Amino acid sequence: MKPKVTENEQYLSASNRITGVVVMVIGLAGLVDIVVEWRTLGGLLVAALIGILMIVAYVGLVRPSVTLRPDGLMIRNHIRDHHVPWHRIEDVDVTDILRVHTSTGKIRCPGVQLVMKDLRKQRVGGRKLGADNSISRADFVVDRIDNHRERYAKTAEGEITTTWAKPELIAVAVLAVVAVVAQFLR
């Protein structure tokens, strides 16, 4: 049986993702402590606030990514998802983060970003950049997007669509309501 080969490629910031997971694990430890020790409305308030901070860590550090698919480029930003068909992409470049230029404007992609240390090394011309630096990685992603655009733009269809990250926004809203109610009932 042959393994299923997927044509999807996903790029993200590994260091941001690791930091986000560490923050969420620390938050989870705090929630476990609250469940075990603080069975009060004050504990519920603190638990809701920790939950909000965990979601903010997820949204800010873990969620952003760029996925190259045969039907287009999927850009997952902090609270919105953009699906850009290949024929709608006019240009791609990297400043501090990846930018996709379309006829409707630029879409910034925090899932692929440059590390300031690498930018300083490049500008100053000091020590040589390593093969695993963020500049070469970002350039690699730009090259992959250009490659996919050349391959799939002729057959691509559709318009740019943008959707909100509904589960994350709903979770924050519910936890905020729980926090407010717990504060008033305390």
Side-chain angles (χ1 to χ4, degrees):
M1 177 182 237
K2 280 187 172 179
K4 185 176 179 181
V5 177
T6 178
E7 292 190 33
N8 294 345
E9 298 176 27
Q10 185 176 37
Y11 301 100
L12 46 91
S13 173
S15 61
N16 282 358
R17 196 160 266 206
I18 291 168
T19 304
V21 168
V22 167
V23 168
M24 290 189 299
V25 166
I26 292 169
L28 184 63
L31 288 176
V32 168
D33 183 52
I34 289 170
V35 168
V36 171
E37 297 293 328
W38 296 352
R39 296 179 188 201
T40 65
L41 287 175
L44 180 62
L45 172 66
V46 172
L49 293 176
I50 289 174
I52 289 172
L53 291 175
M54 288 173 63
I55 293 171
V56 168
Y58 171 77
V59 165
L61 297 170
V62 177
R63 188 175 193 283
S65 66
V66 176
T67 306
L68 287 64
R69 306 186 313 197
D71 64 334
L73 186 64
M74 175 59 76
I75 301 165
R76 292 187 75 198
N77 286 345
H78 302 297
I79 58 172
R80 289 189 299 184
D81 295 339
H82 304 279
H83 180 264
V84 185
W86 293 113
H87 69 288
R88 298 291 179 201
I89 298 173
E90 295 176 353
D91 191 25
V92 180
D93 65 358
V94 178
T95 54
D96 56 338
I97 63 175
L98 183 71
R99 297 185 309 178
V100 176
H101 301 268
T102 66
S103 59
T104 60
K106 292 179 219 165
I107 301 173
R108 295 173 56 87
C109 314
V112 176
Q113 54 187 268
L114 297 179
V115 178
M116 287 298 131
K117 176 180 73 169
D118 291 338
L119 285 174
R120 282 192 302 272
K121 283 182 186 178
Q122 183 185 38
R123 286 187 190 128
V124 173
R127 295 185 314 229
K128 293 203 175 230
L129 291 170
D132 60 343
N133 68 64
S134 64
I135 294 171
S136 61
R137 177 145 173 84
D139 288 338
F140 174 77
V141 174
V142 168
D143 290 343
R144 292 300 300 149
I145 291 172
D146 285 338
N147 178 289
H148 274 67
R149 191 174 69 187
E150 289 171 9
R151 182 187 302 167
Y152 296 116
K154 294 176 187 97
T155 60
E157 298 176 345
E159 297 297 321
I160 299 170
T161 57
T162 301
T163 57
W164 292 95
K166 291 177 187 170
E168 292 85 352
L169 295 172
I170 290 170
V172 167
V174 167
L175 288 172
V177 168
V178 168
V180 169
V181 169
Q183 176 61 29
F184 281 125
L185 295 178
R186 266 181 20 153

